Amino acid sequence: MTKNEALRALPAVEVLLQHPQVQTLQSAYGRSLTVAVTREVLQAARERILKNNGAAQAPGAEQLAKQASRLLSKLTTPSLQSLINATGVIIHTNLGRVPLSQAAREAMMAVAKDYNTLEYDKRRGKRGSRSIHASDLICRFTGAESALIVNNNASALLLILSAFAKRKGVVISRSQLIEIGGGFRIPDIMKQSGAKLIEVGTTNRTHVRDFADAIEDESNRAALLLRVHHSNFRIVGFTTEPTLDELAALSRQHDLLVVDDLGSGALLDTADFGLGHEPTVQESLAAGADLICFSGDKLLGGPQAGIIIGKSELVHKLARHPLTRAVRPDKLCLAALSTTLLHYLRDEATQQIPVWRMISMPIAEIETRATALAQAVRERSKLTVEVIPGESTVGGGSLPEETLPTHLLALQVANIEKFVRSLRAHNVIARIQDNRVVCDPRTILNKDDKQLVDALVKSAPS
Ligand SMILES: *Cc1c(COP(=O)(O)O)cnc(C)c1O
């Protein structure tokens, strides 16, 4: 066949649309989308014929219909899909950070379904305030005077700096000029807010005196002292940093603000669960920080949100700032956050909030599950599987280097890359360790045990 013959042999769009298989696609995906995709498939076939140097060949209607079907299926599959997190990293930013509690999910569904009191005061029959939702609960649990919820913690920090330090100096230790990931760098946020960065001290040692000197230098026009949690790294050895209490005392002498970006923002003490101590929100308040900000979807275990707490007068000023409207949270977020905070108030966080359930999961329970999973895999495949001791991590920029003991499902396969690729195709994200593929039951939700075994069995080399 010559190229021209091959081009002429291609069916016309109208003809292809009458093909029974394409008709089926039309009822499944609707006419417009099917027509558009059919055109694309034909165009691609034309281009292939023109590019081809050897003998030309036209695909038949059947083949083109199959291509259209594949493309339609790909196009209509959501890109945001559920996954099984077998990595053992509890707060996994790439995997959506944290699952929500059942009650939080139900609360989201409820506000999604109906009209609601997002900005309506039912009692007075008037417009109400969006900012009341969740704020009272976080204040009650932490003892803060006032709270404001925004879209995420990065916007919380941007808002605080914009409102209180525009064209003024923000003093920060050199050890805290961090990058968190996703391009979030403290110096960049500072620039964006219009604040002037005044870095003091050194990478490993910064003293209160360094802060005092920067404040006393009037050309700096210091307005705010900022402490930022190191997030995902640790400085060890010969190090010093002023405590928040010291910074608060200094700021009072000079009538400045102290702001604490806690990052993860633990509401419970991680040291009670065999981990190192992650600074808590309550400790920052007690130390005298004027404003504290942290994430809703890290150790708190709720939806993506930024939570700002602190002195009423300051929080009210933030609430009135024009940027606040641009970073406001939506109703789904507020519903899930309120419900998550209620778990803390009811002392049921470790039973109801997945992050805390995973952190507090008894090692015996993990071993029992790992053993049962291994047994199920052995019964259904020839995979070489063992249960070995291992380590889980918290992740999410909290407790770097800290681990929790766990039991791992360890699989020995000849072609590791191929095996994990197949697991990914079955929506399982595993870890590779010492030439083995390992799955950590700690981060695998109980409801997913069967799906995990299915995926492992299906991915086993035949
Ligand atoms: C994670 C983190 C942020 C960003 O929080 P998001 O809620 O992801 O926007 C800011 N500061 C610190 C110290 C963090 O760890």
Side-chain angles (χ1 to χ4, degrees):
M1 227 184 251
T2 68
K3 281 188 185 177
N4 276 336
E5 281 167 343
L7 287 175
R8 275 199 301 277
L10 283 175
V13 184
E14 292 72 26
V15 176
L16 194 51
L17 285 170
Q18 297 310 316
H19 190 279
Q21 280 176 26
V22 181
Q23 291 275 311
T24 314
L25 292 177
Q26 284 194 49
S27 22
Y29 297 103
R31 182 168 161 81
S32 327
L33 198 55
T34 311
V35 171
V37 164
T38 306
R39 285 216 171 91
E40 277 171 47
V41 164
L42 276 168
Q43 184 55 28
R46 259 178 232 119
E47 279 162 19
R48 268 197 307 277
I49 291 169
L50 290 171
K51 252 201 346 234
N52 196 352
N53 288 322
Q57 215 182 3
E62 195 113 327
Q63 204 179 334
L64 291 164
K66 227 177 244 153
Q67 289 169 7
S69 168
R70 262 202 301 274
L71 195 53
L72 278 164
S73 151
K74 196 171 146 200
L75 215 76
T76 51
T77 304
S79 55
L80 203 49
Q81 295 176 11
S82 293
L83 290 176
I84 294 178
N85 174 15
T87 64
V89 181
I90 297 173
I91 306 169
H92 201 305
T93 294
N94 297 149
L95 306 185
R97 287 212 173 138
V98 298
L100 297 174
S101 76
Q102 182 175 338
R105 276 148 30 214
E106 284 167 3
M108 287 175 103
M109 282 295 284
V111 295
K113 210 163 106 249
D114 296 309
Y115 290 100
N116 53 61
T117 55
L118 182 62
E119 289 183 5
Y120 190 76
D121 184 333
K122 219 169 50 166
R123 203 171 49 79
R124 292 167 55 224
K126 278 198 192 147
R127 189 197 163 133
S129 163
R130 172 186 302 249
S131 66
I132 61 164
H133 308 291
S135 316
D136 288 355
L137 300 175
I138 189 76
C139 290
R140 183 169 282 273
F141 190 75
T142 58
E145 277 180 23
S146 228
L148 179 71
I149 315 297
V150 293
N151 182 62
N152 60 356
N153 191 28
S155 57
L157 189 58
L158 177 65
L159 175 62
I160 292 171
L161 295 175
S162 305
F164 295 110
K166 196 164 197 158
R167 287 187 291 278
K168 294 184 189 143
V170 173
V171 192
I172 181 171
S173 165
R174 284 203 166 85
S175 66
Q176 295 172 5
L177 294 173
I178 56 162
E179 172 176 318
I180 291 150
F184 180 84
R185 288 177 159 190
I186 294 297
D188 295 342
I189 290 285
M190 203 86 88
K191 206 177 284 167
Q192 202 54 241
S193 70
K196 194 173 104 197
L197 169 68
I198 302 160
E199 42 185 302
V200 297
T202 61
T203 307
N204 60 326
R205 283 172 79 79
T206 302
H207 306 277
V208 183
R209 188 68 242 159
D210 297 321
F211 275 85
D213 288 346
I215 294 167
E216 281 155 22
D217 178 346
E218 284 183 7
S219 69
N220 280 333
R221 305 188 63 218
L224 193 154
L225 311 183
L226 180 62
R227 186 177 80 157
V228 177
H229 187 286
H230 284 149
S231 199
N232 38 21
F233 78 105
R234 218 153 100 174
I235 300 183
V236 293
F238 188 54
T239 69
T240 305
E241 257 175 20
T243 63
L244 200 52
D245 301 76
E246 289 170 329
L247 291 184
L250 185 65
S251 76
R252 278 193 294 273
Q253 279 170 26
H254 296 273
D255 206 14
L256 307 176
L257 297 181
V258 176
V259 173
D260 192 20
D261 172 7
L262 264 181
S264 220
L267 293 180
L268 302 180
D269 188 351
T270 49
D272 292 344
F273 302 89
L275 286 160
H277 175 71
E278 172 76 15
T280 65
V281 175
Q282 295 89 327
E283 284 160 10
S284 295
L285 275 173
D290 294 296
L291 288 170
I292 300 159
C293 61
F294 51 98
S295 289
D297 56 351
K298 289 182 178 171
L299 271 174
L300 195 141
Q304 177 187 305
I307 299 163
I308 304 170
I309 59 171
K311 309 248 162 74
S312 286
E313 168 204 345
L314 303 173
V315 173
H316 291 157
K317 187 164 174 209
L318 286 175
R320 289 192 305 271
H321 192 274
L323 196 54
T324 302
R325 175 63 177 77
V327 296
R328 74 180 186 184
D330 82 315
K331 59 187 177 183
L332 300 179
C333 161
L334 291 169
L337 185 61
S338 302
T339 311
T340 306
L341 290 170
L342 274 176
H343 291 314
Y344 286 96
L345 283 166
R346 290 189 175 126
D347 283 329
E348 59 184 26
T350 54
Q351 291 100 53
Q352 299 297 334
I353 302 176
V355 179
W356 288 102
R357 258 188 57 76
M358 290 173 188
I359 289 177
S360 62
M361 198 177 280
I363 187 83
E365 180 185 328
I366 299 178
E367 186 170 21
T368 306
R369 275 181 71 207
T371 308
L373 288 168
Q375 188 55 30
V377 171
R378 276 188 214 105
E379 277 165 17
R380 293 179 46 200
S381 74
K382 292 204 184 71
L383 280 166
T384 310
V385 53
E386 267 186 285
V387 174
I388 60 168
E391 287 167 341
S392 321
T393 55
V394 176
S398 52
L399 302 162
E401 315 275 305
E402 288 278 336
T403 58
L404 285 164
T406 192
H407 290 276
L408 301 166
L409 210 61
L411 298 118
Q412 204 122 37
V413 286
N415 190 337
I416 289 187
E417 279 308 320
K418 190 168 169 213
F419 188 66
V420 292
R421 202 179 321 122
S422 169
L423 287 179
R424 288 201 302 271
H426 290 99
N427 293 336
V428 172
I429 310 302
R431 206 168 81 200
I432 298 174
Q433 180 181 306
D434 302 328
N435 263 322
R436 284 198 276 196
V437 177
V438 298
C439 297
D440 188 341
R442 189 189 292 277
T443 54
I444 300 165
L445 304 175
N446 283 61
K447 68 168 178 71
D448 291 335
D449 281 2
K450 173 152 181 352
Q451 197 190 327
L452 176 84
V453 173
D454 286 347
L456 290 168
V457 170
K458 285 182 191 151
S459 303
S462 41

